[in-house]
């Protein structure tokens, strides 16, 4: 399921995944359904922190992996994180529990795991600042959607 600018692009709702949505006031919501007034949304799992409550501890059976996550503090600051992995000698990744703990320490009130691995790439000011585990690490794996933040 994908919503962009209030328009539904893909309407298939996967009941095993969480809806990560932004409303017109730039508030991040994590739920099982698409809330009214959602401006932008995608689906991923698992949710890490919802309404200030940590939901994941330890590896939760997901192991050490590359990760990407979106979160928000209670006062509205966005938290976007990419952890490289699957690259011995550089980065082996992180457990979901450790990632949840780090986000909580930074004040995350909402946070959800996104896709990791070869699709986890972060650009800053037009430059790739991560090292993907993809065959082409500078570009990562082709993906159909992304969170893009315009700081202007």
């Amino acid at each position: 399921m994908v919503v962009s600018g209030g328009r539904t692009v893909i309407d298939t709702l996967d009941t095993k995944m969480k809806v990560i949505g932004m409303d017109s006031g730039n508030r991040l919501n994590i739920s099982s359904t698409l809330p009214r007034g959602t401006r932008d949304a995608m689906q991923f799992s698992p949710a890490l922190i919802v309404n200030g409550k940590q939901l994941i501890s330890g590896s939760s059976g997901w192991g050490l992996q590359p990760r990407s996550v979106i979160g928000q503090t209670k006062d509205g600051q966005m938290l976007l994180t990419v952890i490289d992995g699957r690259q011995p000698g550089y980065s082996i990744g992180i457990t979901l529990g450790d990632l949840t703990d780090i986000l909580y320490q930074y004040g995350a009130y909402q946070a959800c795991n996104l896709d990791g691995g070869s699709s986890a790439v972060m650009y800053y000011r037009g430059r790739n600042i991560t090292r993907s585990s993809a065959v082409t690490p500078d570009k990562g794996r082709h993906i159909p959607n992304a969170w893009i933040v315009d700081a202007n």
Side-chain angles (χ1 to χ4, degrees):
M1 191 268 317
V2 175
V3 175
S4 179
R7 185 177 68 83
T8 301
V9 178
I10 301 171
D11 65 359
T12 306
L13 187 66
D14 183 337
T15 58
K16 293 179 241 151
M17 308 269 272
K18 294 295 181 185
V19 175
I20 307 160
M22 296 290 289
D23 63 21
S24 60
N26 294 321
R27 299 303 298 177
L28 186 68
N29 280 295
I30 300 171
S31 65
S32 297
T33 61
L34 182 63
R36 287 179 72 76
T38 300
R39 183 192 64 218
D40 301 294
M42 286 187 223
Q43 280 195 283
F44 289 98
S45 69
L48 306 177
I49 302 170
V50 175
N51 298 328
K53 183 176 190 246
Q54 290 182 255
L55 304 178
I56 300 287
S57 62
S59 75
S60 294
W62 296 64
L64 284 166
Q65 298 292 338
R67 309 273 181 210
S68 59
V69 66
I70 188 168
Q72 188 174 48
T73 63
K74 199 167 187 177
D75 67 2
Q77 293 179 62
M78 293 304 301
L79 304 169
L80 296 166
T81 304
V82 172
I83 306 290
D84 293 326
R86 296 186 195 140
Q87 300 171 72
Y90 172 69
S91 175
I92 58 172
I94 192 169
T95 67
L96 287 175
D98 286 344
L99 183 56
T100 301
D101 289 343
I102 291 167
L103 290 161
Y104 192 76
Q105 290 172 8
Y106 276 89
Y109 189 70
Q110 308 286 356
C112 192
N113 186 63
L114 303 173
D115 198 12
S118 59
S119 65
V121 176
M122 183 177 281
Y123 279 79
Y124 178 72
R125 295 188 177 175
R127 189 174 69 82
N128 183 355
I129 60 171
T130 56
R131 196 160 119 188
S132 170
S133 61
V135 175
T136 54
D138 57 325
K139 296 179 182 171
R141 176 174 52 106
H142 175 75
I143 54 174
N145 53 44
W147 288 101
I148 298 171
V149 177
D150 183 1
N152 293 325

